[in-house]
Amino acid sequence: LDGPRAQVKSELSTHDSYNEGLSVSVSTDHECLEGRVGTPSQETALFAVHGTTSRPDGYVDIAANQALHLIVSGLASAGRRCVIEFNTEFAAQGRYLLKGGIADSDSGWCRVEVINADTGASLVKFETPTQVTPAPTERYSWRQFMA
Protein backbone atom coordinates (compact mmCIF):
# COMPACT_ATOMS: atom_id res chain seq x y z
CA LEU A 1 0.00 0.00 0.00
CA ASP A 2 1.19 3.46 -0.86
CA GLY A 3 0.06 6.50 1.06
CA PRO A 4 -1.84 6.82 4.34
CA ARG A 5 -3.10 3.67 6.01
CA ALA A 6 -5.74 2.60 8.46
CA GLN A 7 -6.23 -0.83 10.01
CA VAL A 8 -9.30 -3.03 9.90
CA LYS A 9 -10.07 -6.27 11.73
CA SER A 10 -12.83 -8.78 11.05
CA GLU A 11 -14.97 -9.91 13.95
CA LEU A 12 -17.56 -11.28 11.52
CA SER A 13 -18.97 -14.77 12.06
CA THR A 14 -21.18 -17.42 10.50
CA HIS A 15 -22.98 -20.34 12.04
CA ASP A 16 -20.63 -23.25 12.64
CA SER A 17 -21.67 -25.07 9.48
CA TYR A 18 -19.48 -26.39 6.70
CA ASN A 19 -21.69 -24.76 4.07
CA GLU A 20 -21.70 -21.19 5.40
CA GLY A 21 -19.03 -18.63 4.70
CA LEU A 22 -18.40 -14.94 4.30
CA SER A 23 -15.87 -12.98 2.34
CA VAL A 24 -14.92 -9.33 2.55
CA SER A 25 -13.25 -7.57 -0.35
CA VAL A 26 -12.37 -3.98 -1.22
CA SER A 27 -12.14 -2.02 -4.46
CA THR A 28 -11.15 1.48 -5.50
CA ASP A 29 -12.90 0.98 -8.84
CA HIS A 30 -14.75 4.21 -9.67
CA GLU A 31 -17.61 2.21 -11.20
CA CYS A 32 -18.26 0.75 -7.74
CA LEU A 33 -18.03 4.16 -6.14
CA GLU A 34 -20.82 5.41 -8.38
CA GLY A 35 -23.13 2.64 -7.15
CA ARG A 36 -22.63 0.23 -10.05
CA VAL A 37 -21.07 -3.19 -9.75
CA GLY A 38 -17.43 -2.86 -10.68
CA THR A 39 -15.09 -5.34 -12.25
CA PRO A 40 -14.56 -8.29 -9.86
CA SER A 41 -10.94 -8.57 -10.98
CA GLN A 42 -10.35 -5.14 -9.43
CA GLU A 43 -11.49 -6.34 -6.01
CA THR A 44 -8.91 -7.31 -3.40
CA ALA A 45 -9.80 -9.93 -0.80
CA LEU A 46 -9.54 -8.71 2.79
CA PHE A 47 -11.05 -11.53 4.87
CA ALA A 48 -12.53 -15.02 4.58
CA VAL A 49 -14.80 -16.08 7.45
CA HIS A 50 -15.99 -19.52 8.57
CA GLY A 51 -17.63 -19.95 11.96
CA THR A 52 -15.93 -17.51 14.30
CA THR A 53 -12.59 -17.67 12.47
CA SER A 54 -11.50 -14.86 10.17
CA ARG A 55 -8.47 -15.20 7.98
CA PRO A 56 -6.20 -13.40 8.18
CA ASP A 57 -6.46 -13.01 11.93
CA GLY A 58 -5.91 -9.60 13.52
CA TYR A 59 -5.64 -6.18 11.92
CA VAL A 60 -4.76 -5.68 8.27
CA ASP A 61 -3.65 -2.46 6.59
CA ILE A 62 -6.11 -0.72 4.31
CA ALA A 63 -5.86 2.49 2.29
CA ALA A 64 -6.95 5.61 4.19
CA ASN A 65 -8.18 9.06 3.21
CA GLN A 66 -9.68 7.78 -0.06
CA ALA A 67 -13.04 6.40 -1.11
CA LEU A 68 -13.24 2.60 -0.92
CA HIS A 69 -15.96 0.16 -1.93
CA LEU A 70 -16.40 -2.71 0.56
CA ILE A 71 -18.23 -5.90 -0.41
CA VAL A 72 -19.41 -8.42 2.20
CA SER A 73 -20.65 -11.64 0.54
CA GLY A 74 -22.26 -14.52 2.41
CA LEU A 75 -23.13 -18.04 1.25
CA ALA A 76 -25.41 -20.50 3.04
CA SER A 77 -27.08 -23.83 2.27
CA ALA A 78 -29.58 -24.23 -0.58
CA GLY A 79 -27.74 -21.66 -2.68
CA ARG A 80 -28.77 -18.73 -0.48
CA ARG A 81 -26.53 -15.72 -0.51
CA CYS A 82 -26.43 -12.17 0.67
CA VAL A 83 -24.32 -9.25 -0.43
CA ILE A 84 -23.83 -5.93 1.31
CA GLU A 85 -21.87 -3.31 -0.59
CA PHE A 86 -21.07 0.16 0.65
CA ASN A 87 -18.69 3.01 0.04
CA THR A 88 -16.66 4.41 2.90
CA GLU A 89 -13.45 6.19 3.75
CA PHE A 90 -11.16 5.27 6.63
CA ALA A 91 -9.16 7.91 8.51
CA ALA A 92 -5.36 7.63 8.45
CA GLN A 93 -3.99 5.83 11.51
CA GLY A 94 -7.55 4.75 12.47
CA ARG A 95 -8.39 1.26 13.67
CA TYR A 96 -11.74 -0.25 12.73
CA LEU A 97 -13.70 -3.44 13.45
CA LEU A 98 -16.14 -5.22 11.15
CA LYS A 99 -18.78 -6.95 13.28
CA GLY A 100 -21.82 -9.03 12.36
CA GLY A 101 -22.00 -11.83 9.83
CA ILE A 102 -24.69 -14.34 8.88
CA ALA A 103 -27.34 -13.69 11.50
CA ASP A 104 -29.99 -16.22 10.51
CA SER A 105 -29.06 -19.18 8.35
CA ASP A 106 -32.74 -19.94 7.58
CA SER A 107 -33.32 -16.58 5.92
CA GLY A 108 -29.71 -15.90 4.91
CA TRP A 109 -29.67 -12.50 6.57
CA CYS A 110 -26.31 -10.82 6.81
CA ARG A 111 -25.31 -7.92 8.99
CA VAL A 112 -22.22 -5.76 9.06
CA GLU A 113 -21.31 -2.92 11.37
CA VAL A 114 -18.21 -0.74 11.16
CA ILE A 115 -16.94 0.30 14.58
CA ASN A 116 -14.13 2.65 15.55
CA ALA A 117 -11.91 0.28 17.58
CA ASP A 118 -10.44 3.08 19.68
CA THR A 119 -13.67 4.81 20.70
CA GLY A 120 -16.20 1.98 20.35
CA ALA A 121 -18.43 4.26 18.25
CA SER A 122 -20.62 2.56 15.65
CA LEU A 123 -20.01 4.31 12.33
CA VAL A 124 -22.44 2.49 10.07
CA LYS A 125 -24.67 -0.61 10.19
CA PHE A 126 -26.25 -2.60 7.34
CA GLU A 127 -28.50 -5.65 7.25
CA THR A 128 -30.17 -7.68 4.51
CA PRO A 129 -32.94 -7.78 3.49
CA THR A 130 -33.70 -4.59 5.47
CA GLN A 131 -31.46 -1.61 6.04
CA VAL A 132 -30.55 0.72 8.87
CA THR A 133 -29.19 3.67 6.94
CA PRO A 134 -26.38 5.93 8.14
CA ALA A 135 -27.10 9.25 9.82
CA PRO A 136 -27.60 12.13 7.34
CA THR A 137 -24.24 13.59 8.40
CA GLU A 138 -22.31 10.47 7.39
CA ARG A 139 -20.69 10.24 3.95
CA TYR A 140 -21.68 6.66 3.13
CA SER A 141 -23.66 5.25 0.27
CA TRP A 142 -25.04 1.73 0.21
CA ARG A 143 -26.59 -0.93 -1.92
CA GLN A 144 -27.69 -4.36 -0.83
CA PHE A 145 -29.60 -7.27 -2.25
CA MET A 146 -30.79 -10.68 -1.19
CA ALA A 147 -30.96 -13.58 -3.62
Side-chain angles (χ1 to χ4, degrees):
L1 287 174
D2 293 332
R5 296 180 190 164
Q7 291 189 316
V8 65
K9 178 180 179 181
S10 169
E11 292 186 357
L12 298 167
S13 64
T14 67
H15 295 93
D16 202 13
S17 170
Y18 71 91
N19 59 356
E20 285 190 13
L22 280 172
S23 65
V24 180
S25 55
V26 64
S27 176
T28 56
D29 181 10
H30 74 281
E31 294 287 317
C32 291
L33 300 177
E34 294 172 5
R36 297 185 299 269
V37 176
T39 309
S41 63
Q42 294 180 346
E43 295 174 9
T44 301
L46 285 179
F47 299 104
V49 181
H50 184 266
T52 58
T53 303
S54 289
R55 301 219 190 283
D57 188 24
Y59 285 94
V60 297
D61 287 341
I62 193 166
N65 299 341
Q66 66 175 296
L68 297 174
H69 183 83
L70 289 179
I71 304 104
V72 179
S73 301
L75 293 173
S77 62
R80 289 171 297 174
R81 65 183 184 140
C82 61
V83 176
I84 299 174
E85 299 183 38
F86 59 100
N87 298 330
T88 192
E89 185 173 321
F90 296 105
Q93 306 300 314
R95 293 184 328 134
Y96 300 89
L97 301 173
L98 299 178
K99 292 193 173 206
I102 295 180
D104 179 359
S105 62
D106 292 333
S107 67
W109 281 15
C110 290
R111 295 181 183 143
V112 64
E113 182 174 12
V114 180
I115 296 173
N116 182 310
D118 296 319
T119 67
S122 176
L123 303 176
V124 67
K125 187 186 302 184
F126 299 106
E127 180 177 293
T128 62
T130 60
Q131 290 290 328
V132 177
T133 57
T137 56
E138 298 288 353
R139 292 183 14 192
Y140 299 97
S141 63
W142 58 271
R143 180 171 64 87
Q144 60 84 32
F145 71 91
M146 185 76 180

